[in-house]
Amino acid sequence: MAKDKKQAALGFIFITLLIDVTGFGIIIPVMPKLIEELIHGDLSDASRYGGWLLFAYAIMQFICAPILGNLSDKYGRRPVLLFSLFGFGIDYILQGFAPNIIWLFVGRIIAGITGGSFTTASAYIADVSTPEKRAQNFGMIGAAFGVGFIIGPVLGGLLGHYGSRVPFFAAATLALLNWLYGYFVLPESLGKENRRPFEWKRANPLGSLLHLKKYPVVSGLVASITLLYIAGHAVQSTWTYYTMSKFGWNEQLVGYSLGFVGLTVGLVQGGLIRVIIPKLGQQRSVYIGLGLYALGFSLFAFATNTWMMFVFMIPYAMGGIAGPSLQSIISGHVSPNEQGELQGALTSLMSATAIIGPPMMTNIFAYFTSDKAPVHFPGAAMLLGAILSVISTLLAYKTLRHEKH
């Protein structure tokens, strides 16, 4: 692909991911309220159901992401990405009309089966990136996530005033418009010469993860990334419940706070990493980033005022220099015709941790906010996130210390 076409393709993929994340972000502020309505329970009960909904999505994605990743190595990235975007549209429509909690579970299962947009986008970026630009281009995923999280939750918080279901229909509209946009605009990135046959043994989640064993550095970093992904669920799975419980936030303030998370993440991923990673080098970026995550989680856990949550987002967002660096180190050890399989395996890994993470973190939150807890400590999940980040840093150091800088 010519240089100007590669740049255009990266622009297309950024917009596709941006719309995708915005749709996902729209529903976050109102999810607790909708669950409370459907189960006729309180916030503590809703947090448990919220964790199991994420579990249902994750277990289906764990099974299906490597299949989609391998299919994209055979048929190209474009058709797989379009299939994923269409699935999200159907999911949001089902959730918007849900008469009971079972419908929410059905919607999440459909989204998990088709949820390969980030897998395929990552493979797409690997296809069109030169080795020296790969880390910065992977940072674009984080930037799309950041900007989408500025727009999505703020919009969701505002739309939530008109009813807890309105944001779901807005998200469905966005997802289906995104599907149309991709159909007419998105070019294919994987040339016929770089395609390979589909193999079932490499398309199951365990098979794709075991296949990574032939790359020692890749398999060595898997444990580090696994712990980081689990730690991330302290924020991803409990933020809405934690801030509503501890500080009495409403949907609108939750939306604004997630918008601010998006702004800080977007600034780091979209801008700062292009300066920081080349200066620090990928390895040092991994260590410093993971350390900043540990600091951010600790500060969130012990925050006592609303303003602190906003200030403490800054070191947490700065931790984002670790992810693209890790992804670039891993991607650099894998050949072009296996990038789809690699990204499918990494998405499976992320999904495996999302099978464990949300129920673990939401149940810890539910326990430490219930009458049974020895101490009332809503920040317990955040503190666990900090501990896991420290262990992740030590594992990354153990794996990378013999690599050339």
Side-chain angles (χ1 to χ4, degrees):
M1 203 184 277
K3 192 180 177 184
D4 56 337
K5 280 198 172 177
K6 282 185 180 180
Q7 283 305 114
L10 286 169
F12 295 144
I13 217 77
F14 175 79
I15 291 167
T16 301
L17 288 174
L18 173 63
I19 300 171
D20 202 14
V21 176
T22 302
F24 181 71
I26 282 174
I27 67 170
I28 293 174
V30 292
M31 194 54 119
K33 190 176 173 186
L34 181 60
I35 296 170
E36 279 182 294
E37 285 172 15
L38 294 175
I39 64 167
H40 309 292
D42 62 15
L43 199 61
S44 199
D45 296 328
S47 74
R48 281 198 175 92
Y49 276 94
W52 289 115
L53 281 165
L54 289 168
F55 170 87
Y57 172 78
I59 201 159
M60 296 315 297
Q61 194 177 56
F62 176 67
I63 295 163
C64 297
I67 297 172
L68 293 176
N70 276 269
L71 284 171
S72 82
D73 280 343
K74 178 177 168 64
Y75 295 109
R77 316 301 182 203
R78 189 174 179 275
V80 175
L81 195 56
L82 292 176
F83 173 70
S84 298
L85 297 173
F86 189 75
F88 273 122
I90 301 302
D91 163 41
Y92 296 135
I93 290 168
L94 278 175
Q95 291 188 92
F97 283 113
N100 55 52
I101 195 77
I102 293 163
W103 277 51
L104 291 192
F105 279 98
V106 171
R108 289 282 76 192
I109 286 165
I110 291 169
I113 292 168
T114 63
S117 56
F118 276 79
T119 307
T120 318
S122 298
Y124 195 110
I125 288 166
D127 291 339
V128 300
S129 299
T130 57
E132 61 274 12
K133 286 280 185 187
R134 198 177 276 132
Q136 288 99 311
N137 289 343
F138 276 131
M140 218 174 58
I141 297 175
F145 190 87
V147 178
F149 250 65
I150 297 167
I151 303 164
V154 172
L155 196 56
L158 293 169
L159 290 173
H161 277 299
Y162 302 101
S164 56
R165 294 168 191 269
V166 174
F168 289 90
F169 295 117
T173 306
L174 271 182
L176 294 173
L177 284 172
N178 200 9
W179 172 67
L180 276 174
Y181 169 81
Y183 183 81
F184 288 108
V185 176
L186 195 69
E188 181 53 68
S189 65
L190 187 68
K192 297 264 197 303
E193 70 284 0
N194 284 329
R195 298 188 188 186
R196 63 174 181 82
F198 180 85
E199 297 171 57
W200 275 109
K201 68 177 179 186
R202 288 166 71 166
N204 72 75
L206 295 175
S208 63
L209 287 172
L210 288 171
H211 187 67
L212 297 179
K213 282 176 76 175
K214 71 178 184 181
Y215 307 105
V217 173
V218 172
S219 55
L221 288 174
V222 160
S224 173
I225 295 169
T226 301
L227 291 178
L228 182 62
Y229 285 159
I230 294 171
H233 282 286
V235 167
Q236 292 164 30
S237 304
T238 69
W239 181 271
T240 310
Y241 306 100
Y242 174 58
T243 53
M244 284 179 168
S245 168
K246 189 167 183 177
F247 307 108
W249 289 8
N250 60 15
E251 292 89 350
Q252 207 168 349
L253 192 47
V254 168
Y256 290 143
S257 74
L258 289 170
F260 190 71
V261 170
L263 177 64
T264 52
V265 168
L267 286 172
V268 172
Q269 301 279 339
L272 282 176
I273 64 162
R274 293 176 184 273
V275 180
I276 293 170
I277 293 175
K279 282 196 173 167
L280 291 177
Q282 289 181 3
Q283 282 192 41
R284 246 197 269 154
S285 297
V286 169
Y287 306 142
I288 293 169
L290 292 174
L292 284 166
Y293 272 136
L295 175 65
F297 283 125
S298 304
L299 292 170
F300 286 149
F302 295 104
T304 53
N305 283 297
T306 285
W307 66 265
M308 289 181 178
M309 294 301 284
F310 284 85
V311 173
F312 297 161
M313 283 174 205
I314 295 165
Y316 177 77
M318 289 293 290
I321 63 173
S325 301
L326 276 169
Q327 215 171 348
S328 181
I329 292 166
I330 292 168
S331 185
H333 283 76
V334 175
S335 62
N337 70 352
E338 293 182 329
Q339 289 292 336
E341 179 180 33
L342 167 69
Q343 301 304 336
L346 290 177
T347 305
S348 265
L349 182 70
M350 197 188 293
S351 303
T353 59
I355 292 165
I356 303 159
M360 179 198 289
M361 297 300 182
T362 52
N363 275 288
I364 286 169
F365 168 81
Y367 176 72
F368 280 96
T369 53
S370 72
D371 299 332
K372 298 174 196 163
V375 286
H376 182 79
F377 183 37
M382 300 289 187
L383 187 58
L384 178 58
I387 294 163
L388 293 173
S389 299
V390 170
I391 301 168
S392 175
T393 313
L394 296 173
L395 288 170
Y397 176 72
K398 189 181 172 207
T399 305
L400 292 172
R401 64 183 167 177
H402 302 303
E403 277 271 292
K404 285 181 185 172
H405 285 257

